mmCIF file with all atom_site columns, all heavy atoms in Angstrom:
data_model
loop_
_atom_site.group_PDB
_atom_site.id
_atom_site.type_symbol
_atom_site.label_atom_id
_atom_site.label_alt_id
_atom_site.label_comp_id
_atom_site.label_asym_id
_atom_site.label_entity_id
_atom_site.label_seq_id
_atom_site.pdbx_PDB_ins_code
_atom_site.Cartn_x
_atom_site.Cartn_y
_atom_site.Cartn_z
_atom_site.occupancy
_atom_site.B_iso_or_equiv
_atom_site.pdbx_formal_charge
_atom_site.auth_seq_id
_atom_site.auth_comp_id
_atom_site.auth_asym_id
_atom_site.auth_atom_id
_atom_site.pdbx_PDB_model_num
ATOM 1   N N   . ALA A 1 2   ? 12.985  182.849 -130.722 1.00 0.00 ? 763  ALA A N   1
ATOM 2   C CA  . ALA A 1 2   ? 11.680  182.192 -130.825 1.00 0.00 ? 763  ALA A CA  1
ATOM 3   C C   . ALA A 1 2   ? 10.587  183.079 -130.270 1.00 0.00 ? 763  ALA A C   1
ATOM 4   O O   . ALA A 1 2   ? 10.779  183.744 -129.259 1.00 0.00 ? 763  ALA A O   1
ATOM 5   C CB  . ALA A 1 2   ? 11.704  180.867 -130.062 1.00 0.00 ? 763  ALA A CB  1
ATOM 6   N N   . MET A 1 102 ? -8.588  140.275 -114.705 1.00 0.00 ? 863  MET A N   1
ATOM 7   C CA  . MET A 1 102 ? -8.451  140.018 -113.274 1.00 0.00 ? 863  MET A CA  1
ATOM 8   C C   . MET A 1 102 ? -9.508  140.767 -112.466 1.00 0.00 ? 863  MET A C   1
ATOM 9   O O   . MET A 1 102 ? -9.956  140.294 -111.414 1.00 0.00 ? 863  MET A O   1
ATOM 10  C CB  . MET A 1 102 ? -7.040  140.381 -112.816 1.00 0.00 ? 863  MET A CB  1
ATOM 11  C CG  . MET A 1 102 ? -5.981  139.424 -113.368 1.00 0.00 ? 863  MET A CG  1
ATOM 12  S SD  . MET A 1 102 ? -4.285  140.022 -113.171 1.00 0.00 ? 863  MET A SD  1
ATOM 13  C CE  . MET A 1 102 ? -4.154  140.052 -111.390 1.00 0.00 ? 863  MET A CE  1
ATOM 14  N N   . TYR A 1 108 ? -16.085 137.937 -109.219 1.00 0.00 ? 869  TYR A N   1
ATOM 15  C CA  . TYR A 1 108 ? -16.654 136.627 -108.903 1.00 0.00 ? 869  TYR A CA  1
ATOM 16  C C   . TYR A 1 108 ? -16.195 136.145 -107.528 1.00 0.00 ? 869  TYR A C   1
ATOM 17  O O   . TYR A 1 108 ? -16.960 135.495 -106.805 1.00 0.00 ? 869  TYR A O   1
ATOM 18  C CB  . TYR A 1 108 ? -16.283 135.610 -109.986 1.00 0.00 ? 869  TYR A CB  1
ATOM 19  C CG  . TYR A 1 108 ? -17.286 135.555 -111.109 1.00 0.00 ? 869  TYR A CG  1
ATOM 20  C CD1 . TYR A 1 108 ? -17.106 136.300 -112.265 1.00 0.00 ? 869  TYR A CD1 1
ATOM 21  C CD2 . TYR A 1 108 ? -18.434 134.774 -111.000 1.00 0.00 ? 869  TYR A CD2 1
ATOM 22  C CE1 . TYR A 1 108 ? -18.034 136.265 -113.300 1.00 0.00 ? 869  TYR A CE1 1
ATOM 23  C CE2 . TYR A 1 108 ? -19.367 134.730 -112.026 1.00 0.00 ? 869  TYR A CE2 1
ATOM 24  C CZ  . TYR A 1 108 ? -19.164 135.476 -113.171 1.00 0.00 ? 869  TYR A CZ  1
ATOM 25  O OH  . TYR A 1 108 ? -20.096 135.444 -114.184 1.00 0.00 ? 869  TYR A OH  1
ATOM 26  N N   . LEU A 1 152 ? -18.872 167.519 -113.585 1.00 0.00 ? 913  LEU A N   1
ATOM 27  C CA  . LEU A 1 152 ? -20.295 167.180 -113.605 1.00 0.00 ? 913  LEU A CA  1
ATOM 28  C C   . LEU A 1 152 ? -20.760 166.822 -115.019 1.00 0.00 ? 913  LEU A C   1
ATOM 29  O O   . LEU A 1 152 ? -21.543 165.883 -115.211 1.00 0.00 ? 913  LEU A O   1
ATOM 30  C CB  . LEU A 1 152 ? -21.123 168.339 -113.053 1.00 0.00 ? 913  LEU A CB  1
ATOM 31  C CG  . LEU A 1 152 ? -21.137 168.473 -111.528 1.00 0.00 ? 913  LEU A CG  1
ATOM 32  C CD1 . LEU A 1 152 ? -21.663 169.838 -111.108 1.00 0.00 ? 913  LEU A CD1 1
ATOM 33  C CD2 . LEU A 1 152 ? -21.982 167.359 -110.904 1.00 0.00 ? 913  LEU A CD2 1
ATOM 34  N N   . ASP A 1 169 ? -17.299 147.140 -120.845 1.00 0.00 ? 930  ASP A N   1
ATOM 35  C CA  . ASP A 1 169 ? -16.395 148.289 -120.918 1.00 0.00 ? 930  ASP A CA  1
ATOM 36  C C   . ASP A 1 169 ? -15.803 148.640 -119.557 1.00 0.00 ? 930  ASP A C   1
ATOM 37  O O   . ASP A 1 169 ? -15.369 149.768 -119.351 1.00 0.00 ? 930  ASP A O   1
ATOM 38  C CB  . ASP A 1 169 ? -17.095 149.512 -121.515 1.00 0.00 ? 930  ASP A CB  1
ATOM 39  C CG  . ASP A 1 169 ? -16.083 150.489 -122.123 1.00 0.00 ? 930  ASP A CG  1
ATOM 40  O OD1 . ASP A 1 169 ? -15.168 150.025 -122.816 1.00 0.00 ? 930  ASP A OD1 1
ATOM 41  O OD2 . ASP A 1 169 ? -16.192 151.712 -121.887 1.00 0.00 ? 930  ASP A OD2 1
ATOM 42  N N   . LEU A 1 195 ? 10.064  160.393 -107.703 1.00 0.00 ? 956  LEU A N   1
ATOM 43  C CA  . LEU A 1 195 ? 8.956   159.621 -107.142 1.00 0.00 ? 956  LEU A CA  1
ATOM 44  C C   . LEU A 1 195 ? 7.686   159.816 -107.965 1.00 0.00 ? 956  LEU A C   1
ATOM 45  O O   . LEU A 1 195 ? 7.078   158.845 -108.428 1.00 0.00 ? 956  LEU A O   1
ATOM 46  C CB  . LEU A 1 195 ? 8.708   160.022 -105.687 1.00 0.00 ? 956  LEU A CB  1
ATOM 47  C CG  . LEU A 1 195 ? 7.465   159.389 -105.029 1.00 0.00 ? 956  LEU A CG  1
ATOM 48  C CD1 . LEU A 1 195 ? 7.609   157.862 -104.992 1.00 0.00 ? 956  LEU A CD1 1
ATOM 49  C CD2 . LEU A 1 195 ? 7.248   159.950 -103.624 1.00 0.00 ? 956  LEU A CD2 1
ATOM 50  N N   . THR A 1 213 ? -6.158  151.649 -125.634 1.00 0.00 ? 974  THR A N   1
ATOM 51  C CA  . THR A 1 213 ? -6.490  152.861 -126.377 1.00 0.00 ? 974  THR A CA  1
ATOM 52  C C   . THR A 1 213 ? -6.004  154.129 -125.688 1.00 0.00 ? 974  THR A C   1
ATOM 53  O O   . THR A 1 213 ? -6.108  155.220 -126.272 1.00 0.00 ? 974  THR A O   1
ATOM 54  C CB  . THR A 1 213 ? -8.012  152.975 -126.599 1.00 0.00 ? 974  THR A CB  1
ATOM 55  O OG1 . THR A 1 213 ? -8.677  152.856 -125.348 1.00 0.00 ? 974  THR A OG1 1
ATOM 56  C CG2 . THR A 1 213 ? -8.498  151.898 -127.547 1.00 0.00 ? 974  THR A CG2 1
ATOM 57  N N   . ASP A 1 237 ? 10.523  175.815 -127.302 1.00 0.00 ? 998  ASP A N   1
ATOM 58  C CA  . ASP A 1 237 ? 10.625  175.122 -126.013 1.00 0.00 ? 998  ASP A CA  1
ATOM 59  C C   . ASP A 1 237 ? 10.211  173.663 -126.112 1.00 0.00 ? 998  ASP A C   1
ATOM 60  O O   . ASP A 1 237 ? 10.552  172.858 -125.236 1.00 0.00 ? 998  ASP A O   1
ATOM 61  C CB  . ASP A 1 237 ? 9.718   175.801 -124.965 1.00 0.00 ? 998  ASP A CB  1
ATOM 62  C CG  . ASP A 1 237 ? 10.169  177.199 -124.616 1.00 0.00 ? 998  ASP A CG  1
ATOM 63  O OD1 . ASP A 1 237 ? 11.365  177.499 -124.802 1.00 0.00 ? 998  ASP A OD1 1
ATOM 64  O OD2 . ASP A 1 237 ? 9.313   178.000 -124.177 1.00 0.00 ? 998  ASP A OD2 1
ATOM 65  N N   . VAL A 1 313 ? -23.526 163.057 -146.267 1.00 0.00 ? 1074 VAL A N   1
ATOM 66  C CA  . VAL A 1 313 ? -22.583 164.096 -146.669 1.00 0.00 ? 1074 VAL A CA  1
ATOM 67  C C   . VAL A 1 313 ? -22.518 165.215 -145.630 1.00 0.00 ? 1074 VAL A C   1
ATOM 68  O O   . VAL A 1 313 ? -21.438 165.752 -145.341 1.00 0.00 ? 1074 VAL A O   1
ATOM 69  C CB  . VAL A 1 313 ? -22.963 164.662 -148.053 1.00 0.00 ? 1074 VAL A CB  1
ATOM 70  C CG1 . VAL A 1 313 ? -22.054 165.837 -148.427 1.00 0.00 ? 1074 VAL A CG1 1
ATOM 71  C CG2 . VAL A 1 313 ? -22.892 163.574 -149.103 1.00 0.00 ? 1074 VAL A CG2 1
ATOM 72  N N   . ALA A 1 322 ? -15.127 170.889 -139.135 1.00 0.00 ? 1083 ALA A N   1
ATOM 73  C CA  . ALA A 1 322 ? -14.745 171.205 -137.759 1.00 0.00 ? 1083 ALA A CA  1
ATOM 74  C C   . ALA A 1 322 ? -13.265 170.933 -137.538 1.00 0.00 ? 1083 ALA A C   1
ATOM 75  O O   . ALA A 1 322 ? -12.560 171.714 -136.881 1.00 0.00 ? 1083 ALA A O   1
ATOM 76  C CB  . ALA A 1 322 ? -15.592 170.383 -136.791 1.00 0.00 ? 1083 ALA A CB  1
ATOM 77  N N   . VAL A 1 348 ? -9.619  165.709 -130.189 1.00 0.00 ? 1109 VAL A N   1
ATOM 78  C CA  . VAL A 1 348 ? -9.334  165.051 -131.465 1.00 0.00 ? 1109 VAL A CA  1
ATOM 79  C C   . VAL A 1 348 ? -8.236  164.000 -131.305 1.00 0.00 ? 1109 VAL A C   1
ATOM 80  O O   . VAL A 1 348 ? -8.347  162.882 -131.835 1.00 0.00 ? 1109 VAL A O   1
ATOM 81  C CB  . VAL A 1 348 ? -8.928  166.096 -132.528 1.00 0.00 ? 1109 VAL A CB  1
ATOM 82  C CG1 . VAL A 1 348 ? -8.470  165.410 -133.805 1.00 0.00 ? 1109 VAL A CG1 1
ATOM 83  C CG2 . VAL A 1 348 ? -10.093 167.032 -132.824 1.00 0.00 ? 1109 VAL A CG2 1
ATOM 84  N N   . GLY A 1 356 ? -11.514 155.208 -136.620 1.00 0.00 ? 1117 GLY A N   1
ATOM 85  C CA  . GLY A 1 356 ? -11.768 154.474 -137.848 1.00 0.00 ? 1117 GLY A CA  1
ATOM 86  C C   . GLY A 1 356 ? -10.672 154.548 -138.879 1.00 0.00 ? 1117 GLY A C   1
ATOM 87  O O   . GLY A 1 356 ? -10.786 153.941 -139.942 1.00 0.00 ? 1117 GLY A O   1
ATOM 88  N N   . ARG A 1 426 ? -34.473 144.681 -123.533 1.00 0.00 ? 1187 ARG A N   1
ATOM 89  C CA  . ARG A 1 426 ? -34.699 146.128 -123.448 1.00 0.00 ? 1187 ARG A CA  1
ATOM 90  C C   . ARG A 1 426 ? -33.618 146.887 -124.215 1.00 0.00 ? 1187 ARG A C   1
ATOM 91  O O   . ARG A 1 426 ? -33.905 147.853 -124.937 1.00 0.00 ? 1187 ARG A O   1
ATOM 92  C CB  . ARG A 1 426 ? -34.717 146.568 -121.982 1.00 0.00 ? 1187 ARG A CB  1
ATOM 93  C CG  . ARG A 1 426 ? -35.106 148.029 -121.793 1.00 0.00 ? 1187 ARG A CG  1
ATOM 94  C CD  . ARG A 1 426 ? -35.391 148.324 -120.332 1.00 0.00 ? 1187 ARG A CD  1
ATOM 95  N NE  . ARG A 1 426 ? -35.630 149.729 -120.095 1.00 0.00 ? 1187 ARG A NE  1
ATOM 96  C CZ  . ARG A 1 426 ? -36.775 150.356 -120.281 1.00 0.00 ? 1187 ARG A CZ  1
ATOM 97  N NH1 . ARG A 1 426 ? -37.818 149.672 -120.727 1.00 0.00 ? 1187 ARG A NH1 1
ATOM 98  N NH2 . ARG A 1 426 ? -36.905 151.646 -120.032 1.00 0.00 ? 1187 ARG A NH2 1
ATOM 99  N N   . SER A 1 495 ? -29.385 126.312 -144.205 1.00 0.00 ? 1256 SER A N   1
ATOM 100 C CA  . SER A 1 495 ? -28.949 127.633 -143.729 1.00 0.00 ? 1256 SER A CA  1
ATOM 101 C C   . SER A 1 495 ? -27.466 127.608 -143.382 1.00 0.00 ? 1256 SER A C   1
ATOM 102 O O   . SER A 1 495 ? -26.732 128.570 -143.656 1.00 0.00 ? 1256 SER A O   1
ATOM 103 C CB  . SER A 1 495 ? -29.770 128.044 -142.502 1.00 0.00 ? 1256 SER A CB  1
ATOM 104 O OG  . SER A 1 495 ? -31.133 128.232 -142.848 1.00 0.00 ? 1256 SER A OG  1
ATOM 105 N N   . ASN A 1 512 ? -21.793 124.166 -135.440 1.00 0.00 ? 1273 ASN A N   1
ATOM 106 C CA  . ASN A 1 512 ? -23.251 124.078 -135.524 1.00 0.00 ? 1273 ASN A CA  1
ATOM 107 C C   . ASN A 1 512 ? -23.701 122.929 -136.432 1.00 0.00 ? 1273 ASN A C   1
ATOM 108 O O   . ASN A 1 512 ? -24.731 122.297 -136.185 1.00 0.00 ? 1273 ASN A O   1
ATOM 109 C CB  . ASN A 1 512 ? -23.830 125.403 -136.024 1.00 0.00 ? 1273 ASN A CB  1
ATOM 110 C CG  . ASN A 1 512 ? -23.763 126.491 -134.972 1.00 0.00 ? 1273 ASN A CG  1
ATOM 111 O OD1 . ASN A 1 512 ? -23.355 126.243 -133.841 1.00 0.00 ? 1273 ASN A OD1 1
ATOM 112 N ND2 . ASN A 1 512 ? -24.163 127.692 -135.324 1.00 0.00 ? 1273 ASN A ND2 1
ATOM 113 N N   . MET A 1 520 ? -29.755 114.616 -136.173 1.00 0.00 ? 1281 MET A N   1
ATOM 114 C CA  . MET A 1 520 ? -30.308 113.814 -137.269 1.00 0.00 ? 1281 MET A CA  1
ATOM 115 C C   . MET A 1 520 ? -29.811 112.373 -137.210 1.00 0.00 ? 1281 MET A C   1
ATOM 116 O O   . MET A 1 520 ? -30.074 111.594 -138.139 1.00 0.00 ? 1281 MET A O   1
ATOM 117 C CB  . MET A 1 520 ? -29.926 114.449 -138.607 1.00 0.00 ? 1281 MET A CB  1
ATOM 118 C CG  . MET A 1 520 ? -30.473 115.859 -138.786 1.00 0.00 ? 1281 MET A CG  1
ATOM 119 S SD  . MET A 1 520 ? -29.871 116.678 -140.279 1.00 0.00 ? 1281 MET A SD  1
ATOM 120 C CE  . MET A 1 520 ? -30.810 115.816 -141.546 1.00 0.00 ? 1281 MET A CE  1
#
Side-chain angles (χ1 to χ4, degrees):
M863 291 167 64
Y869 270 95
L913 282 165
D930 203 44
L956 174 62
T974 53
D998 294 337
V1074 175
V1109 173
R1187 187 168 174 82
S1256 295
N1273 287 356
M1281 299 174 74

